[in-house]
Amino acid sequence: MRNPSKIKEGAVEFSLGDWDGKVMVYSFAKMWIYLEAKGKLLFGRGFKLYGEDRELLFTLCNYIIRDEMNCRKLGIDPDKGLLLSGPVGCGKTSLIKLLRYLVPHRRPYELIPCRNIVFGFNHVGYPTISGYGNSGFYCFDDLGVEPTGRHFGKDCNVMGEILLSRYELFKNHRVMTHATTNLNAEELEDRYGNRVRSRMREMFNLVAFPNHTKDKRKQVVPACNQTK
């Protein structure tokens, strides 16, 4: 079996922890170093992880590596999907893109902006909705702020319908769905209704940035940074 403790990026090899051939013991400090390095490769040299997000990132890392003991302590279920919420610019999309690289030996999820799904529905119609009712592994980005779908004069809450389809997949086949959102629970219920919101509680672990989290896109970041 491939050694899951080593990840190579170009000529540089990163360690995520210790592997004895059977058991992988991850190191959060090493995962932090790798995620920041991978972030710079994906998003530019100005990318950095913020100490203020350390607790949240610890939760996300334990979730993605399926550390059952820490997940129990943190109150999250590794067999449910992830709903990552927080204010605009807090870094939700960047982190959800990065997390999947920690577990290259597992099937990656595809990150899709919700607005793109709605635009597809407006062009193609209901096959767009049924297309997401399959066993695909998806993360829906910016859930709740997409426009209402409209096809041949009929309005449709496209993402609400897709979430209902994904719920059936989750209940019957344990297929997980992830999502990011700027909205809180009440706003999601207003957007999709009580029925969808109730099913989202079953489908997702909610991991939230604090409401006071700053917009990181407005911060000036030096080209080179070091983590503690």
Side-chain angles (χ1 to χ4, degrees):
M1 180 180 176
R2 178 182 176 183
N3 186 344
S5 71
K6 306 294 183 183
I7 297 181
K8 200 165 186 180
E9 297 289 348
V12 180
E13 185 176 74
F14 293 87
S15 172
L16 301 181
D18 298 309
W19 167 250
D20 65 4
K22 294 182 179 179
V23 178
M24 173 68 188
V25 179
Y26 286 90
S27 162
F28 179 58
K30 291 179 179 180
M31 287 190 285
W32 179 285
I33 291 170
Y34 170 69
L35 288 174
E36 185 157 76
K38 184 65 174 180
K40 291 182 186 299
L41 290 173
L42 291 176
F43 311 123
R45 294 183 63 198
F47 176 85
K48 66 173 289 186
L49 299 176
Y50 291 80
E52 66 200 60
D53 299 331
R54 198 173 194 90
E55 185 176 340
L56 180 139
L57 189 56
F58 180 76
T59 298
L60 294 177
C61 286
N62 278 283
Y63 169 81
I64 204 70
I65 66 173
R66 297 182 64 87
D67 186 315
E68 294 186 4
M69 184 176 70
N70 277 328
C71 282
R72 282 196 299 270
K73 291 179 180 178
L74 294 163
I76 56 177
D77 184 347
D79 292 321
K80 294 169 65 171
L82 182 69
L83 178 61
L84 184 58
S85 72
V88 172
C90 66
K92 300 182 298 298
T93 301
S94 297
L95 290 184
I96 206 77
K97 284 181 178 179
L98 280 174
L99 279 180
R100 53 191 172 176
Y101 292 101
L102 286 176
V103 285
H105 53 290
R106 295 191 191 142
R107 180 185 177 188
Y109 46 83
E110 183 181 358
L111 192 79
I112 307 175
C114 292
R115 67 178 182 276
N116 290 5
I117 296 174
V118 174
F119 294 155
F121 171 85
N122 293 346
H123 178 67
V124 176
Y126 288 90
T128 299
I129 294 175
S130 60
Y132 288 99
N134 58 28
S135 59
F137 199 9
Y138 301 115
C139 177
F140 300 126
D141 193 34
D142 276 340
L143 181 69
V145 296
E146 73 280 356
T148 299
R150 189 170 181 81
H151 185 67
F152 282 107
K154 293 185 177 181
D155 289 347
C156 178
N157 191 329
V158 176
M159 291 310 303
E161 294 297 326
I162 288 175
L163 288 171
L164 290 174
S165 296
R166 299 298 296 181
Y167 172 78
E168 294 302 320
L169 282 172
F170 173 70
K171 292 296 288 185
N172 297 326
H173 305 289
R174 311 311 295 179
V175 176
M176 288 192 293
T177 303
H178 305 309
T180 71
T181 185
N182 300 333
L183 306 185
N184 60 34
E186 292 74 20
E187 290 168 330
L188 285 170
E189 186 167 330
D190 288 343
R191 182 72 174 81
Y192 299 115
N194 179 264
R195 183 182 177 214
V196 172
R197 176 59 186 141
S198 175
R199 282 153 177 73
M200 289 178 69
R201 292 190 186 98
E202 294 185 53
M203 293 168 61
F204 294 117
N205 294 286
L206 175 60
V207 178
F209 283 86
N211 291 331
H212 61 266
T213 303
K214 296 178 181 178
D215 187 340
K216 297 178 177 68
R217 296 174 299 186
K218 295 181 179 179
Q219 300 183 41
V220 178
V221 180
C224 296
N225 298 281
Q226 294 182 345
T227 58
K228 296 181 180 180

